[in-house]
Amino acid sequence: MPARIALLLLAALAPLAAQDSVRHRMIPEEPAPGQPFRLELSVTSPEDDPLGPAIRVGAELPLMDDIPMRFSGQRMGSFGGGGTSTLMVSAVAPGTPGDHRIPAFAISFATRKVPIPAIAFRVREALPGENLGLARAQLELPDRPLYLGETVAGRIRFTHGEKERVAGVFGIEARGEGVSFRSGISRMDGADGEMVAEFELTPIRAGEVDLRISGISLADPRSGRLAAEMRDRPFVFSRKVRVSRVPEAGRPADWGGAVGSYVAASLTVSNASPMIGETIRMTATLAGEGNVDRILPPEVPHGDAWDVLPTRERRPFRAPGERAFTYNLTPRLPGALRTPPVRLSFFDPETRSYRRLEFTPVEVQVSGQAPRQVDLVTVDPAAPATEIAAAPTPPSKLADPEPTAGSARERVAPLASSRGLAGANLAGLLALGAGLAVAARREWVARNPGRVARARARREVARALSRLRRAERAADAETHARAAVGGLRAGAAPLLAGQAEALTAEDVLRAAGWTEAARAEAVRSAFRCADGSRFGGRAAPGTLIHHAALAQGLAELRRRLCD
Amino acid sequence: MRLILLIALALAAESAAEGRHEAARKAYLDGDSAGALTLWGELAAEEGVSAELLAAAGNAEWRLGRKGRAMVCWERALLLDPGNAVAKAGLRHASSVGGVERPSERWHESYAGWLESDTWTLAALASAWTVLLAWAWPRLRGRRMGDAHHRAALVGATLLALSGPGLWGSWSAHRRAVNRIPDEPLKLTPTQLGEPVATVGEGDVVRTGRRLNGHVLVSLAGGQAGWLREAAAEPVAAEGLPRPLDGAP
């Protein structure tokens, strides 16, 4: 029984014994800020369960902005009775002293995936006067929003350090789902011999894209030692780029996806003096910076003088930044013809606007004669040959023209679309409407004389009331009396159907129906004051003392005229 | 003296123009369609076009195999003169055996063909003003409508009712275009890469609608609707001879 228990325990512990072990070593153990270091990861596997070689290590290393890392090789060996794989990773220490950490990740081997625990390390303080003199890398990208489908030319510029110089670059790649990346050439640039690595980016998804470009440079120590001592210098750049769609506003209908800055480089024909019906080849070459490989060939319409057929260019990309579009042209007419226009619309990301270019046409001398008559009559190709042969002559034909018969030259645009005609008719309608309105008003006045007189009297009374108040404020007794009498007469006249000038104070009192003594005295006083001089001198000193009664009376008259 | 000189100059110019007309016609009859077209083109540029000149140019274009230009010439000639026999024969020939598709005339378009479109316009305007003035004139003078006014209003209203379909037919006939490009795709959407739903042959006549994004909404002779590039569809109602395609944007 105890033996069975022991066997069961051994069987349960067997998987634990078969676990992989991971160790790491840093050289140097405490790097200076910005100092390159080498990380060695040793993975030991059980003897009966080998790991095999590591695969895809480069893609599985964590991508950190402050600690660039690149896989630089692996060493297989035997250690402690089991198989050991040592992975060598080149890295650069962060620029700030202190404790740092490489997060946990996993490495795929041929047989399984091995988790690597997080690695903590320390970056020491820089020593006084210490100068590492390392080479540096700098990313150059256009400082503007990028556009979907455009090809952005970017560069990484490597500056030599005091103690080492960059001798080569390799393995430049980009991680990011929203971009398509293509690495270009690396070359020495400038008098200082700086290394420049070129690449092309094409955004393929709109929005904010996390762009991470990494690579490795070869640093040559300026110590005169052998090139075999060159060191790996990994680098990582992290950028957030904003990718927009090309604007829809102002987009030409013939825009074929061209984004960049282009010029029409040349337009050539394979034969400048063809015969009628002889096909020649026209090649338009576009040059500039942009997505030349993503442009749809511009459409060249059939001209009156040419039949145009697009054709496949065998070498569309003859030089960097160039694209050739080829068309087959067949002249229809003889004489000096110009090649049909080739136009291309493109979106310029610098100016954020659409532009259009046109290739300068080439003159072609076409010889031969136009056909006397082209047979445009269709025949059913599926019909039996006997039926086609037996078919009667088409019943219709062209009539002989008599172009000289039309002496008067005419216009095709209809008269109905003439703005002058429309304007004249509109003006006539407005005039007629105005005339009808005047006639209707006149007729209404004729039918309602009393209402017109009342309305006129109402206006007169209002004016008189206004004058009365002004005269009261100015203490002008004479004007006050005249205004009161004028208003009273104008207001009473329609009530009596009489002439305003002929009314007396008694008429006014009778028309208004005022019986109060105070108001009657005010009215009589106003009449005496206003008209007294006409009948033997002024009988009243003034009407200012009756102002309130007169104003009230005028206002009452005006109200009655509104009924 | 100056007047005589001016008259002599005018007569000489007229004579020279007649000579060129004759030379163009002779070139056409001799089979030199390209030469005849050149002369007619010069005359059209100097004097404008007439229905007869357009119809003749249509014949020459047809002979040169340029269906689109020929159809534009004939359709335009019929707008100027609905009874032009040469243009009618050309259109009949093109539709019957030339493989060109042309929408059949609607009843109001056939009705409008009795008179020129401008005549319909003038008739409608005159009758409308007659009705208006017969009603308004007595009112302007403060009188009632008399018998004469009633008669005038009745005649005007009748003429207006008769000219209404004519105006409608003329308007409808003007809203047509000719496809100038061989095998032009009729697109589902007005975009450069719109899905093609049919192919429109060179010279096919289409009815046009609204315009959008460099395309025009059209309906074909068979009733199928879609979008055609504006550069391909030349409106029938335009001035002069067909536009050169080489200069089209």
Side-chain angles (χ1 to χ4, degrees), chain A residues 28-91:
Chain A
E29 285 185 3
E30 278 197 6
Q35 184 184 7
F37 66 91
R38 194 168 72 187
L39 176 66
E40 289 183 1
L41 295 167
S42 297
V43 183
T44 305
S45 63
E47 197 169 352
D48 55 346
D49 192 7
L51 284 168
I55 50 176
R56 300 203 338 255
V57 182
E60 288 173 333
L61 286 174
L63 206 56
M64 292 178 292
D65 295 344
D66 54 345
I67 312 173
M69 292 194 294
R70 281 297 286 240
F71 174 64
S72 56
Q74 67 176 310
R75 194 170 56 223
M76 309 286 288
S78 187
F79 179 76
T84 300
S85 287
T86 303
L87 308 175
M88 282 162 288
V89 176
S90 298

Side-chain angles (χ1 to χ4, degrees), chain A residues 255 304 341 372 399 415 425, chain B residues 30 59 118 129 180 192 246:
Chain A
W255 181 70
D304 298 321
R372 186 177 175 84
L415 189 62
N425 278 285
Chain B
D30 289 345
N59 280 13
D118 288 356
W129 276 108
R180 295 283 307 276
Q192 195 192 6
D246 301 341

Side-chain angles (χ1 to χ4, degrees), chain A residues 255 302-304 333 341 343 372-374 377-378 396 399 401-402 404 406 409-412 415 425 435 442, chain B residues 21 25 30 47 49 52 56 59 63 66 69 80 93 96-97 118 125 129 140 180 192 238 244-246 248:
Chain A
W255 181 70
H302 286 256
D304 298 321
L333 295 175
R343 299 184 177 94
R372 186 177 175 84
Q373 179 161 355
V374 177
V377 175
T378 55
S396 63
E402 291 285 344
T404 51
R409 305 302 168 203
E410 301 165 52
R411 55 191 199 82
V412 177
L415 189 62
N425 278 285
R442 206 168 52 205
Chain B
H21 272 297
R25 187 162 183 272
D30 289 345
E47 305 173 351
V49 294
E52 290 77 12
N59 280 13
R63 279 185 170 186
R66 303 198 291 196
R69 289 181 66 92
L80 286 176
H93 181 67
S96 58
V97 293
D118 288 356
L125 277 176
W129 276 108
L140 288 172
R180 295 283 307 276
Q192 195 192 6
L245 274 187
D246 301 341

Side-chain angles (χ1 to χ4, degrees), chain B residues 151-177:
Chain B
R151 275 197 292 273
L154 188 63
V155 170
T158 309
L159 275 177
L160 188 60
L162 288 174
S163 54
L167 274 181
W168 182 22
S170 296
W171 178 77
S172 173
H174 276 80
R175 287 165 61 85
R176 288 183 303 163

Side-chain angles (χ1 to χ4, degrees), chain A residues 62-386:
Chain A
L63 206 56
M64 292 178 292
D65 295 344
D66 54 345
I67 312 173
M69 292 194 294
R70 281 297 286 240
F71 174 64
S72 56
Q74 67 176 310
R75 194 170 56 223
M76 309 286 288
S78 187
F79 179 76
T84 300
S85 287
T86 303
L87 308 175
M88 282 162 288
V89 176
S90 298
V92 177
T96 53
D99 293 327
H100 292 272
R101 187 168 177 271
I102 297 170
F105 59 101
I107 294 178
S108 299
F109 286 86
T111 55
R112 60 184 174 275
K113 210 165 198 176
V114 176
I116 308 292
I119 298 168
F121 66 98
R122 182 171 180 76
V123 175
R124 66 172 168 81
E125 297 279 350
L127 301 174
E130 186 180 29
N131 181 12
L132 297 174
L134 302 175
R136 285 177 298 154
Q138 188 180 1
L139 176 68
E140 293 178 2
L141 268 180
D143 187 20
R144 59 169 173 79
L146 307 184
Y147 289 93
L148 207 61
E150 77 165 308
T151 299
V152 184
R155 294 194 294 189
I156 300 171
R157 187 177 290 278
F158 298 90
T159 312
H160 302 306
E162 292 173 10
K163 296 186 178 173
E164 65 179 17
R165 62 192 312 278
V166 178
V169 184
F170 65 90
I172 297 179
E173 60 184 21
R175 286 194 208 175
E177 291 183 354
V179 293
S180 162
F181 183 86
R182 188 164 64 189
S183 183
I185 58 169
S186 305
R187 55 185 169 78
M188 293 293 186
D189 188 28
D192 194 27
E194 289 181 335
M195 178 71 72
V196 172
E198 295 178 346
F199 62 87
E200 287 180 352
L201 277 180
T202 302
I204 53 176
R205 193 184 65 193
E208 196 159 84
V209 174
D210 284 326
L211 178 67
R212 290 192 165 187
I213 298 174
S214 62
I216 197 158
S217 61
L218 287 175
D220 178 13
R222 294 178 188 258
S223 58
R225 286 183 286 184
L226 294 175
E229 295 197 9
M230 285 185 182
R231 291 178 175 179
D232 293 344
R233 292 283 180 270
F235 56 86
V236 173
F237 298 106
S238 180
R239 286 274 177 93
K240 278 189 189 299
V241 290
R242 181 88 200 154
V243 179
S244 309
R245 296 179 189 280
V246 288
E248 289 190 16
R251 184 189 297 176
D254 62 347
W255 181 70
V259 183
S261 178
Y262 298 106
V263 291
S266 65
L267 184 84
T268 56
V269 290
S270 60
N271 181 5
S273 51
M275 298 271 293
I276 278 191
E278 179 185 347
T279 299
I280 61 173
R281 179 176 282 245
M282 176 177 77
T283 304
T285 305
L286 183 75
E289 289 185 1
N291 55 350
V292 285
D293 53 340
R294 287 174 174 255
I295 303 174
L296 291 174
E299 192 170 346
V300 178
H302 286 256
D304 298 321
W306 298 94
D307 280 328
V308 184
L309 278 177
T311 184
R312 191 183 183 85
E313 171 59 42
R314 273 175 245 148
R315 290 192 304 126
F317 309 105
R318 298 178 181 186
E322 278 194 7
R323 169 83 182 270
F325 305 104
T326 307
Y327 305 86
N328 281 339
L329 305 181
T330 309
R332 288 178 170 186
L333 295 175
L337 305 180
R338 293 167 78 83
T339 53
V342 184
R343 299 184 177 94
L344 180 100
S345 297
F346 62 93
F347 179 74
D348 190 340
E350 296 294 338
T351 60
R352 301 180 190 186
S353 62
Y354 288 97
R355 291 166 58 194
R356 169 175 282 197
L357 60 84
E358 180 170 352
F359 291 83
T360 309
V362 176
E363 191 153 300
V364 176
Q365 190 68 37
V366 182
S367 56
Q369 283 197 331
R372 186 177 175 84
Q373 179 161 355
V374 177
D375 190 8
L376 291 174
V377 175
T378 55
V379 175
D380 180 10
T386 50

